[in-house]
Amino acid sequence: MKWDFKLNQSIWVAPIAAAVVVAGSLAAQTPAPQTATVQAVPAQQTTQPTPQPAPAQQLVEVPAKKAIKDHAEYEAYASAVKIKDPAQQAAALEAFVQKYPRSVAAAQALREALAAWQDAGNQDQVVDVAKRLLVVEPANIRAMAIVVALDRAKAAQQERVDPGLINEICQFSSDGLNALSAWQMPAGMTADEFAGLRNSMTAIFNGGAGTCALSQNDVAKARETLTQAIAIDSTDLQSLWQLSIVDLESRPVVVNGFWYCARAVAIAKRAQNQAAATQATEYWNKKYTAYHGSPEGWDPILVAVQSQDAPPADFSKLITPSENPNAMDTPTEPGTKLLPQPASPPAAQPATPTSPQQ
């Protein structure tokens, strides 16, 4: 069986909104610079302030400060940050970076533009500025998370995903997961805030890695990374839906897929996303009836998943298979397919998936 996954756009309304919220939380917290903190000073100031030592409780050092010495450059930056309207402020900050690409304030201006575009509700500009910020600061892990979250949501809306979009998801998910191991707590952030942000980004990068793996028909990797994403955020509708189909399309069937699909139904209903709930319910009923032999037992599972964050250890024992549980028809109809194929299919795609280990 070839893994040719596509999706119905209607099911992704909730994940898109969630991605915007996540990106906003990342953008709104203006990241501490990874190289220097910019301090704009008037031209007549000839000396830079002496950096103060970091408080003993801080886990990272406060980097040395740099100053804008050119008067015109200083005025352009200062004028931009004073603008109250978010969209106008963001545009002015981007204009500053375009005019002064080598400014010591360039990275800081892009970080502020990122937050301003989020305040203005312009998702496309948030992604665009995050990518520009990654050119200036390739190791900016929050910018990577923003790109992955919003690119993944955008990919879910497309009938055929742009290969460049998939490549970005793959690249920044991988880079982000690698960078997390060495990421230090930024100055001014509490330990709880740091842990929360780290967990959020771990879920984002694993979800992105799962989408990447699916585009390459790497079923084992998709299951591994999507499971890790859901372990952190069990309300991630997109990951729940993808993982349910990975499991239920496998031969032999991975029974936990029924839990992930039921959980997707519950989360979609909680978000009042009736289209997603209906689609997932139809798919679940079709697969469950084929596997179990009847729809009996569905209602208790649907009730239970509302208060569960992960499949119970004995979940597979709750669903008795029929005499031939793997004789389930191939259900990947257009309305329930998982992920649009790139315009150019990945090289060396296997004709059949590797049999999963239960």
Side-chain angles (χ1 to χ4, degrees), residues 234 237 240-241 244 248 255-270 277 280-281 283-285 288 297-306 308 315 319:
S234 66
L237 181 55
L240 287 166
W241 176 243
S244 70
L248 297 180
V255 178
N256 278 356
F258 292 114
W259 186 93
Y260 294 120
C261 197
R263 177 71 174 171
V265 172
I267 296 303
K269 287 182 176 179
R270 186 183 302 175
T281 298
Y283 177 76
W284 199 100
N285 278 330
Y288 182 88
W298 148 259
D299 290 336
I301 293 174
L302 185 58
V303 171
V305 298
Q306 297 181 47
Q308 295 172 340
F315 182 76
I319 306 175

Side-chain angles (χ1 to χ4, degrees), residues 71-254:
H71 183 68
E73 180 182 341
Y74 165 74
E75 289 296 334
Y77 177 79
S79 297
V81 297
K82 290 178 182 177
I83 297 174
K84 300 300 182 182
D85 179 81
Q88 293 178 13
Q89 183 191 66
L93 287 164
E94 288 198 68
F96 168 82
V97 175
Q98 184 174 3
K99 186 173 182 178
Y100 300 101
R102 298 182 182 278
S103 172
V104 295
Q108 180 66 16
L110 287 173
R111 287 191 291 268
E112 292 170 343
L114 189 65
W117 280 126
Q118 168 57 30
D119 289 342
N122 193 319
Q123 177 180 339
D124 290 338
Q125 287 299 116
V126 168
V127 175
D128 181 67
V129 174
K131 292 177 186 177
R132 292 177 60 191
L133 180 57
L134 285 166
V135 174
V136 179
E137 294 181 337
N140 191 308
I141 194 169
R142 286 189 249 194
M144 294 182 204
I146 288 169
V147 173
V148 171
L150 294 181
D151 273 4
R152 191 178 180 219
K154 185 175 182 179
Q157 291 181 291
Q158 298 180 349
E159 181 62 26
R160 292 184 65 83
V161 177
D162 180 353
L165 197 62
I166 287 292
N167 289 340
E168 283 185 358
I169 294 171
C170 293
Q171 175 190 341
F172 292 124
S173 294
S174 176
D175 291 349
L177 287 172
N178 290 334
L180 274 174
S181 61
W183 190 46
Q184 295 183 332
M185 188 171 77
M189 183 177 290
T190 68
D192 286 345
E193 290 171 342
F194 179 64
L197 188 57
R198 185 187 185 90
N199 281 341
S200 294
M201 291 195 291
T202 301
I204 289 171
F205 292 137
N206 274 300
T211 295
C212 176
L214 285 171
S215 74
Q216 300 168 351
N217 288 324
D218 188 340
V219 177
K221 185 68 173 178
R223 178 175 291 112
E224 174 190 352
T225 51
L226 290 170
T227 300
Q228 291 173 355
I230 293 169
I232 295 173
D233 181 7
S234 66
T235 66
D236 180 351
L237 181 55
Q238 190 170 4
S239 290
L240 287 166
W241 176 243
Q242 289 180 338
L243 186 53
S244 70
I245 298 182
V246 168
D247 281 356
L248 297 180
E249 294 305 313
S250 296
R251 298 296 181 270
V253 170
V254 179

